[in-house]
Every structure is written in C-alpha cells, then in structure tokens.
Amino acid sequence: MSMYLDRDLSFGAVSECLARTAAEPIAAAQALLVRRDEEALAEARARDALRGLAPSGEPLAGMVLGVKACFDVRGWTTHAGSRVLADAPPAAEDAALVRALRAAGAVLLAQNNMTEFAYGALGLNAAYGTPLTPCMTDAPRVAGGSSSGGAVAVALGMAHVALVSDTSGSARIPAAFCGVAGFKPSRGRYDDGGMMYLSPTFDVPGIIAADAAGCLRVDKALAPDSALSLASAACGAMPLAGRIFVLPDHVEDMLVPQVRNTFSAWLERLRKAGAVLRRMPMPCIAQAGAVARDGGIIAAEAYALHASRLAADSARYDPRVGPRMLLGARVPAHAYLAAQRRLAELRGEYDALMAGADAVLTPTVPMLPPPVAMLDDNDVYLRENARVFSLTEFANRLDLPSISLPGDPAAGNAVGLMATGLRGGDRALLAAAAQIEDVLGSAARRRN
C-alpha cells in the first residue's frame, strides 16, 4: 500500500487486491463467495477524492476488507456457508462491525467462504468448496476453519483484513495454516450485532490480517485508546525484555515433530531477546476444553439455534454439521449448567496463575494442515477436527484475548505461534505480539 500516494491510496489498494485475485482464480473462487469489484473501485475513487479535499480521519484508509459469510452485509445473503440459507432474503443493513470498519476507511471487496455455520475447525465446505492453504502445496491441504476464506484471501493479498468469528479458534487456526495473523478478542470488546452465532457462550468477532501490526491497527480503529485503562496502556508499552511468558507444561507432548522444533526455535530467539519464559503446570487450560465438551455447551446452543430448521430441512445440512447439531437435543440441562459453573471457576484459577505474567505461549495448532483427501473418512475427520482446536479452545472457554502470529510463509511453514493474554488486556496482548513478531522476523518478511 505504501507505493501509492494519499490521493489514490484506496484505489491503488483495491486495484492491487483485484490483481492478486485475478492471478489466483482457483483460490479466489474457493475463498470469495460474493465480490463487488466495480463497486469497490468506485468507492475507493470517492474516498480518495474526499481525502484530497480535506483530512478524513480514516485510520483504516487504504485497507481492503473481506467479510465472513456469517456477518450481515446489506444486499448480500448471510448464509454462513450453508445451502440451508442460500435462498434467504438479503440483509437489510450491514452488521455493526462492517459499518465500523467501513466508517474507518476500509473498502469492502468480498464475502468470504467458511465452514457451514462455523461448526468445524478444518475449513471443509461441501456446498461452496474448500479453500486450501497456500503455504503447503505438496498436496491439497485444508486452510483451517471455520474462517477459511478470510485467511486465504489475506494470505494471497486479495484483502488486507478479514472480519471473522471465533468459537474455538476459528480466527487463529486458519491464520496459522495460511501464514497470517488471527486475533480473538475478549468478549464484549467488539460489537457483535449482525453476526450469526454458533455458540452464544463462546462466539466473538475476530480479525485476520497479515501480521500483528495489522491486527493492532484494526483494533485501534474499533476500540480507541481512550477506552484503555492506564495499567493496560503501561503494560502495552513494556519492552519485550520486561515481559514474562508462561509455557504450559502439558503442551509439548501434543506436538508433531515439525511443530515442536519450530516452537522450540522461536522460544530460544525470544529468550535471547530478553523475554522471561516460565514453564509451569496450568490445569485450568488443560481442563477447559473437556469441561465444555462434557457439558455439551456448543452442541446444545447450536441445536437451540437450529432446531426448527433441522426439523424442516435437515437433509440440506452438511453431513458433517447437521448430525452433530442434532446431538445437542440430548444434552442434559444439569450438565450444561454445571459446565458453565466450572468454567467460571477455571477463569478464576487462570487469573491467579497468571499474576505478574503477560501471556501464555503455545503453538496455535499441534499439527500441520492435513490433506483434504484424508478427511473423507468421517472418523478421521472427527479426530482431526478435535485435534486441530485442542490448543486454541481454552481462550474461548476462559474468555481470553488470543492471537496467532505467522511463521515463515516463504519457507512453507504453516505453523503459528499463539499468545494468549489476560481477560480485558487485549491492547497489551497485541502490543506484545507485535514485539514478538519483530523478534521472530515474520512481520518483516510479510511486509517486504
């Protein structure tokens, strides 16, 4: 974007994204479901003209936006990647965050593909196609889900930012598999009006951008500095050498060798940069996912939201989605409520363990993107789907801000480094993430 003068900043950015889209027609067809090429160019020209007449105060000027298909965009059908809602009437107005991002200067270009109703972490979609990771090309491999299309679009330069949702890792998993950054905020940081839920308990809107600096730029536009506490602002200004990061001791045994080796190398570089790394037991993290699953929280909430549609039109659901939603009808109320109570206790345990620390560091995903072909078997799919969000889900269960940082896409490295912070400490986490990225060099690689 820096190659364009301010007078043609938005037009140049949109033109560049359209050129990248034209250069990758197959990937574009998989990742982008609706496009507004001419409208985006016209909007960009108008924004540039207005900016030339007077300062606009648009913090996201020159950024091109993609929106996950579970957010309302006026005139588009919010089908959430499902044939079930393909014939639904188009949205009457933009979702709150779509409005906010466009008001801040971002130009909307496309609706992004996703796993049907966000119920899956690998990114498969039987109705609209499955986006593939651009990082590993030895075989067609999944891009991760459920925000698959947004991650691919940002990774290939078809957009600069994607508005996504995150239930169990849906922003961070595809970011890791596609070599970009994915941010899940604390609950309530961003307005979720006009977002279609999978699980009201765990869903939050999120961001995918090329790197942590991009996520930080968007966060500043959506949650201005005036909303920060003094303590959070001071923490965000700390140098990396003054930061303490916790390494949960149960994680290493979950990792495949390439992920383990990459993670170890990153930790060594952070150690040399002055970061303090503390390995310690964190049972609250290890238990959070199991508590949510045993209590059937997502299944019960998904079923409650879809019960009438499932009764009338279950055959149109993806066979990997509909049957799992139906299981929610069997969740006992006492199990659901007990799980909610236990998660509240685990949040308190996490807060106590993290006193004085800045973030938990883990790989984002314990494995590499699996080939699409191996997921044809339903048992394999269910096993790999559970495995892929095994490290990301605790941030949703405990309501914590969390970000996946990119590895080295040029080296075909589909491994992400995840930093998870303190509830409400979103800005401090993003500032620390940008510093980590600078030490690892991944941000510089993406910008060059």
Side-chain angles (χ1 to χ4, degrees):
M1 289 183 288
S2 60
M3 65 183 291
Y4 300 104
L5 299 175
D6 187 66
R7 64 174 177 269
D8 58 3
L9 179 63
S10 295
F11 183 79
V14 173
S15 299
E16 184 175 307
C17 288
L18 289 176
R20 299 283 183 88
T21 301
E24 299 280 356
I26 296 175
Q30 294 166 340
L32 312 179
L33 301 180
V34 181
R35 290 166 54 181
R36 59 189 296 270
D37 298 10
E38 294 305 318
E39 296 94 329
L41 286 169
E43 179 183 331
R45 286 192 189 97
R47 286 184 179 275
D48 290 337
L50 289 172
R51 197 179 303 112
L53 294 174
S56 66
E58 296 179 337
L60 302 184
M63 294 193 85
V64 176
L65 170 67
V67 174
K68 189 174 179 178
C70 61
F71 287 89
D72 289 343
V73 173
R74 186 171 63 86
W76 294 355
T77 299
T78 312
H79 52 67
S82 177
R83 289 173 293 196
V84 177
L85 297 179
D87 301 324
E93 61 181 7
D94 288 348
L97 281 177
V98 176
R99 287 198 306 272
L101 290 164
R102 297 179 78 175
V107 177
L108 173 64
L109 185 57
Q111 182 187 66
N112 293 333
N113 201 357
M114 60 181 289
T115 307
E116 181 175 271
F117 293 120
Y119 209 174
L122 291 166
L124 299 186
N125 188 302
Y128 293 97
T130 296
L132 305 176
T133 173
C135 288
M136 301 181 69
T137 57
D138 58 321
R141 293 176 179 266
V142 297
S146 61
S147 308
S148 51
V152 170
V154 172
L156 293 177
M158 300 173 186
H160 302 121
V161 60
L163 175 61
V164 300
S165 62
D166 192 309
T167 307
S168 301
S170 294
R172 292 159 288 152
I173 294 164
F177 278 178
C178 293
V180 292
F183 174 57
K184 171 225 167 291
S186 302
R187 173 169 299 281
R189 185 168 184 82
Y190 302 151
D191 191 333
D192 58 7
M195 181 182 82
M196 186 180 297
Y197 284 102
L198 171 65
S199 167
T201 293
F202 298 133
D203 286 0
V204 291
I207 298 163
I208 292 177
D211 52 27
C215 292
L216 180 58
R217 180 181 174 190
V218 174
D219 182 72
K220 286 181 176 179
L222 296 177
D225 287 345
S226 58
L228 285 177
S229 68
L230 293 176
S232 177
C235 185
M238 285 173 54
L240 187 64
R243 296 187 183 276
I244 300 171
F245 299 107
V246 176
L247 311 175
D249 65 0
H250 72 283
V251 167
E252 189 167 339
D253 292 341
M254 303 168 63
L255 312 178
V256 301
Q258 184 171 339
V259 174
R260 183 184 302 113
N261 294 339
T262 301
F263 184 56
S264 295
W266 285 340
L267 294 181
E268 183 58 27
R269 289 163 74 175
L270 293 175
R271 208 177 267 115
K272 289 181 178 177
V276 177
L277 306 180
R278 293 180 178 171
R279 194 175 302 274
M280 59 187 287
M282 296 201 76
C284 53
I285 288 178
Q287 295 171 19
V291 169
R293 284 190 297 279
D294 292 346
I297 293 176
I298 294 177
E301 293 181 348
Y303 177 75
L305 293 170
H306 287 265
S308 60
R309 284 195 288 262
L310 285 164
D313 206 9
S314 63
R316 296 185 73 189
Y317 278 76
D318 187 312
R320 292 188 177 92
V321 173
R324 289 195 291 141
M325 286 184 171
L326 284 168
L327 294 175
R330 306 178 190 174
V331 175
H334 68 83
Y336 176 89
L337 294 172
Q340 293 279 17
R341 286 195 297 270
R342 180 58 182 146
L343 288 178
E345 294 170 356
L346 292 176
R347 290 177 191 122
E349 293 176 18
Y350 178 89
D351 295 344
L353 286 170
M354 290 295 291
D358 294 281
V360 169
L361 295 183
T362 68
T364 308
V365 183
M367 71 224 223
L368 299 176
V372 174
M374 75 177 283
L375 302 173
D376 289 341
D377 182 283
N378 193 54
D379 290 338
V380 174
Y381 171 82
L382 292 174
R383 181 194 71 209
E384 296 300 290
N385 186 65
R387 188 180 173 202
V388 79
F389 64 76
S390 58
L391 295 177
T392 53
E393 65 174 331
F394 83 90
N396 302 80
R397 313 303 176 240
L398 304 182
D399 184 20
L400 307 168
S402 184
I403 184 169
S404 177
L405 306 177
D408 186 355
N413 190 343
V415 181
L417 174 64
M418 189 170 70
T420 302
L422 305 174
R423 192 174 311 104
D426 299 60
R427 185 62 56 76
L429 176 69
L430 286 167
Q435 293 173 336
I436 291 171
E437 216 170 43
D438 286 340
V439 169
L440 299 183
S442 50
R445 282 193 294 269
R446 289 209 59 82
R447 287 195 289 263
N448 291 338

